[in-house]
Amino acid sequence: MEQRVVECVPNFSEGRDKAKIKQITDAIEAVPGATLLDVDPGADTNRTVVTFAGDPQGVAEAAFQAIAKAAQVLDMSQHHGAHPRMGATDVCPFVPISGVTMEDCSAIARQVGERVGRELDIPVYLYEAAATRPERRNLAAIRKGEYEGLAEKLRDPAWVPDFGPARFSAKSGATVIGAREFLIAYNVTLNTRDKALASDIAFELRERGRVARVATGSPYYTKGKILTYKENAYPCGNCDFTGRTVAEVISHCRKAHGYNLEDLLRANDVDPAKPLAGQKVYRAGKFTHCKAIGWYVDGYKRAQISINLTNYKATPPHLILEEARRLAALRGLVVTGSEVVGLIPYPALLEAGRYYLKAQGKSPYIPIPDVLQTAVFSMGLSDVQPFDVQRKVIGLPRGFEEGLVTLPVKEFADEVSRDTPAPGGGSVAAVAGALGAALASMVANLWQDKVESREAASALLRAAEIAQQAKDQLILAVDEDTQAFNAYLEARRLPANTHEEKAYREQKMQEGLQAAVRVPYQTAQAGYQAMEAAWIAVQYGNVSSISDGAVGAQMGYAAVRGGAWNVLINLKDIADPAFVHDMQTQCEALLREAKRLLEQVAAHVDKRLAELIESKKP
Ligand SMILES: [Zn+2]
């Protein structure tokens, strides 16, 4: 049950009037399920960039409410500013963070766009991943001519909006809505004040590369003489190859260096369709989706490689950093750390942490806070500014600031023992399963780097991965189980005087009961995963840990058995016979499997322990 998080970064054409901006952000904050993260007004641009995030439904609703409020309080006919724009809500991208795909975000963009067009009468263009045709993918192309040219643009059949009227609205202009990847603004800090040294590395990293030079043997590339294309002599720029024709060098760059030379030339404002003789030779950088320059930051008294990553899934920040560290070392430089400007998505930091753990031969499947801390330390993210995970990471799994899971073990036991019906067997089953999964993870992580066979090592890593997932899910279920039961109790207390009240109460009670069935069923499923991980752990871990794995399997079974009983006790009041039948069948199958697995673990463990005692006899 991965948490689903979408980010939305609308830009509004107002950067000076704080009261108007506040009306727009208030509209966002009023929507449950959306959280306002940042408001960044610019006086010169007369534009405000707002960032909020949440579940897909909440974010879609908040985006619509913000666009509606901007249409009400802003007037484009009075707007002047330094940034290109065409509407009161100028652009509104949806960005996948975790548990959602780009396709999901495109669907949200279409749904919000349709509603904006229909309910607010604003022309809407879809862009990037949500674009309806290739020429509308690029924001700059859609915005060309800006607000002042919009009335004419709307008369052009090629620019009929995707939603809303093809009619100019002087007050609101047009809005561009779409879906795109998260942009990470990432700086690598060097132990120098010299901007030129930072630029030299930046040009090696960035997608558009640099002007090619004759190699001098010095790592400082700028020392060599600039290469140019000549008639019948087209140098590659990366190696000694020289093509006799342009086609030859294009083909060589693709085969030998893996990039499209024509795209590279265009990125450097050279038209490859025109004769190239006399033009400078360019060579590609090491990473795609990467823009980079060198600069000097007075506040830090150091030069930085300033990087924009437009697709962190293709080019993750930790790989950029490792290459920067290698290139710096060649030049006698030291990378002192790195800096995230704004926010970083949770999956990017998680992947970075796992990358460094693997490099150290450690298990990457340890508690998530530990993985994230490894990333912060390994990347030196607190070098120039403190890096606070809670504040800087977007889409973090739900925290545990409150609820039963924050109680010490003794207080939890006391709370269960009091004369209130909840927390009860469902929450206790979930705690048992979480502890079982934790034991399986412990054994797997303890032995994954000490076993001899590679098969055993990879089986143990797999067990650690399954166990960590099951553990986190079961921890969530401890409170969810109690909440689901309380929701049912609240529904029972609803008034039932009129016919409508009775029907509403019955509907709420049924919803509460179905939730009170689903949560323990998920507990039972996750408990079974804990057992599977424990079974791997007792087989491949060292025999000295075999009793830990065995207890893990036993606790996992308590979650399966306990979860199933909690499903059954709530099923008796559910009115939908198909739902009841389905759940009964699924519980029976799961219990059969769990029972078999428990016997298998117990037989294996008892046999090994008996052998162990036998071998120690004098
Ligand atoms: Zn070459």
Side-chain angles (χ1 to χ4, degrees):
M1 282 191 305
E2 198 184 353
Q3 202 172 210
R4 303 181 78 213
V5 181
V6 174
E7 185 200 43
C8 182
V9 196
N11 290 209
F12 301 98
S13 293
E14 176 60 68
R16 296 164 192 166
D17 188 330
K18 295 270 154 62
K20 285 180 180 170
I21 297 167
K22 186 158 187 311
Q23 286 191 60
I24 296 170
T25 55
D26 282 352
I28 293 167
E29 289 195 283
V31 177
T35 308
L36 186 66
L37 299 173
D38 189 50
V39 182
D40 184 8
D44 292 344
T45 54
N46 198 7
R47 178 182 184 85
T48 298
V49 181
V50 174
T51 308
F52 61 96
D55 62 75
Q57 264 187 325
V59 167
E61 178 65 23
F64 176 80
Q65 295 303 338
I67 294 169
K69 184 55 77 177
Q72 194 188 322
V73 300
L74 305 185
D75 184 356
M76 283 306 288
S77 65
Q78 307 298 318
H79 183 269
H80 300 281
H83 195 287
R85 77 285 179 269
M86 69 194 295
T89 302
D90 190 51
V91 53
C92 179
F94 295 93
V95 180
I97 301 295
S98 62
V100 287
T101 62
M102 187 60 80
E103 192 33 61
D104 296 333
C105 286
S106 295
I108 297 171
R110 286 192 293 274
Q111 174 209 325
V112 173
E114 192 276 333
R115 194 173 163 200
V116 167
R118 177 166 45 86
E119 293 187 26
L120 305 176
D121 260 347
I122 296 173
V124 172
Y125 294 101
L126 296 172
Y127 85 119
E128 289 224 6
T132 50
R133 48 193 103 169
E135 65 273 21
R136 292 191 183 182
R137 286 188 71 90
N138 186 307
L139 176 62
I142 298 176
R143 210 159 47 193
K144 198 167 173 217
E146 293 194 40
Y147 170 79
E148 287 71 16
L150 183 59
E152 198 187 321
K153 191 167 199 159
L154 283 163
R155 283 193 291 270
D156 181 349
W159 286 103
V160 172
D162 290 300
F163 297 112
R167 192 175 58 236
F168 179 64
S169 146
K171 190 159 182 267
S172 299
T175 296
V176 188
I177 300 179
R180 62 159 171 78
E181 285 293 353
F182 192 94
L183 304 180
I184 300 180
Y186 181 61
N187 299 333
V188 174
T189 314
L190 296 170
N191 64 335
T192 177
R193 296 186 186 206
D194 189 345
K195 173 189 154 182
L197 301 186
S199 298
D200 189 56
I201 298 175
F203 296 165
E204 292 289 315
L205 300 172
R206 66 180 187 183
E207 183 164 17
R208 62 176 275 213
R210 70 191 314 168
V211 172
R213 292 167 185 267
V214 179
T216 60
S218 162
Y220 288 102
Y221 195 68
T222 43
K223 298 218 190 308
K225 194 170 151 280
I226 289 178
L227 281 173
T228 49
Y229 295 119
K230 298 188 179 65
E231 291 282 355
N232 307 320
Y234 297 89
C236 154
N238 304 281
C239 67
D240 290 341
F241 178 87
T242 298
R244 278 164 298 163
T245 63
V246 175
E248 260 183 36
V249 74
I250 289 172
S251 155
H252 166 83
C253 284
R254 194 179 54 239
K255 283 188 200 139
H257 307 291
Y259 64 85
N260 183 326
L261 178 61
E262 289 175 287
D263 286 348
L264 180 72
L265 289 170
R266 273 190 287 267
N268 284 289
D269 300 320
V270 177
D271 184 353
K274 291 188 181 150
L276 287 183
Q279 292 277 10
K280 288 173 190 162
V281 177
Y282 286 89
R283 66 169 216 201
K286 296 210 158 65
F287 294 98
T288 60
H289 308 95
C290 169
K291 296 171 185 165
I293 55 163
W295 70 21
Y296 171 70
V297 184
D298 200 38
Y300 306 152
K301 298 276 178 260
R302 269 176 281 176
Q304 286 187 321
I305 306 160
S306 170
I307 301 159
N308 268 315
L309 294 173
T310 53
N311 183 348
Y312 71 86
K313 287 160 191 160
T315 300
H318 59 273
L319 292 188
I320 293 269
L321 174 64
E322 286 310 300
E323 184 60 15
R325 282 175 168 157
R326 193 183 71 80
L327 295 170
L330 287 178
R331 289 160 172 78
L333 292 167
V334 173
V335 169
T336 61
S338 62
E339 178 188 27
V340 171
V341 182
L343 302 170
I344 183 168
Y346 163 66
L349 201 64
L350 188 72
E351 197 197 319
R354 289 187 167 156
Y355 169 88
Y356 289 106
L357 286 165
K358 277 185 205 161
Q360 295 158 12
K362 304 292 288 181
S363 165
Y365 305 111
I366 57 175
I368 283 167
D370 300 8
V371 179
L372 300 183
Q373 193 174 64
T374 303
V376 173
F377 289 155
S378 307
M379 297 170 81
L381 287 174
S382 291
D383 179 31
V384 288
Q385 300 247 29
F387 184 93
D388 175 358
V389 169
Q390 291 298 330
R391 214 171 44 79
K392 296 288 283 184
V393 183
I394 180 170
L396 275 181
R398 189 140 39 102
F400 301 104
E401 291 81 28
E402 52 185 24
L404 297 168
V405 293
T406 61
L407 296 179
V409 176
K410 184 191 170 296
E411 281 178 36
F412 179 74
D414 284 347
E415 181 58 33
V416 172
S417 73
R418 291 196 176 105
D419 61 352
T420 48
S427 293
V428 172
V431 170
L435 290 173
L439 276 169
S441 165
M442 177 192 92
V443 177
N445 283 330
L446 194 54
W447 295 104
Q448 58 85 22
D449 57 347
K450 299 177 192 79
V451 290
E452 276 177 23
S453 85
R454 278 179 59 180
E455 184 214 348
S458 76
L460 287 170
L461 279 179
R462 172 94 190 106
E465 184 178 11
I466 297 171
Q468 284 292 336
Q469 269 172 11
K471 181 199 70 185
D472 290 348
Q473 192 182 330
L474 285 159
I475 290 284
L476 280 177
V478 176
D479 281 283
E480 280 174 358
D481 197 90
T482 297
Q483 283 156 9
F485 188 68
N486 283 339
Y488 166 69
L489 290 182
E490 260 170 45
R492 268 180 44 172
R493 284 194 290 268
L494 284 170
N497 302 317
T498 66
H499 186 69
E500 285 77 25
E501 279 179 359
K502 274 186 191 146
Y504 182 73
R505 174 173 176 267
E506 181 57 26
Q507 184 207 329
K508 284 283 149 197
M509 276 168 54
Q510 287 295 320
E511 281 173 16
L513 279 171
Q514 292 208 359
V517 162
R518 274 196 204 96
V519 176
Y521 182 65
Q522 284 161 358
T523 295
Q525 283 179 311
Y528 184 72
Q529 285 174 349
M531 294 180 75
E532 287 184 306
W535 170 230
I536 298 173
V538 298
Q539 287 176 91
Y540 295 100
N542 188 280
V543 71
S544 62
S545 297
I546 204 166
S547 56
D548 298 314
V551 175
Q554 192 68 48
M555 297 293 272
Y557 184 71
V560 180
R561 186 65 272 205
W565 273 322
N566 275 276
V567 169
L568 296 177
I569 197 164
N570 290 325
L571 271 185
K572 67 177 176 1
D573 299 315
I574 287 188
D576 177 356
F579 182 85
V580 173
H581 177 77
D582 263 14
M583 287 310 302
Q584 263 180 321
T585 324
Q586 288 178 44
C587 275
E588 278 163 21
L590 190 60
L591 272 175
R592 240 188 341 265
E593 282 303 303
K595 213 166 185 173
R596 185 193 57 74
L597 188 53
L598 184 68
E599 280 164 12
Q600 191 174 309
V601 174
H604 176 85
V605 171
D606 285 340
K607 182 165 164 281
R608 290 299 310 273
L609 288 177
E611 286 166 5
L612 201 64
I613 293 167
E614 193 62 34
S615 72
K616 300 280 170 170
K617 275 187 182 164

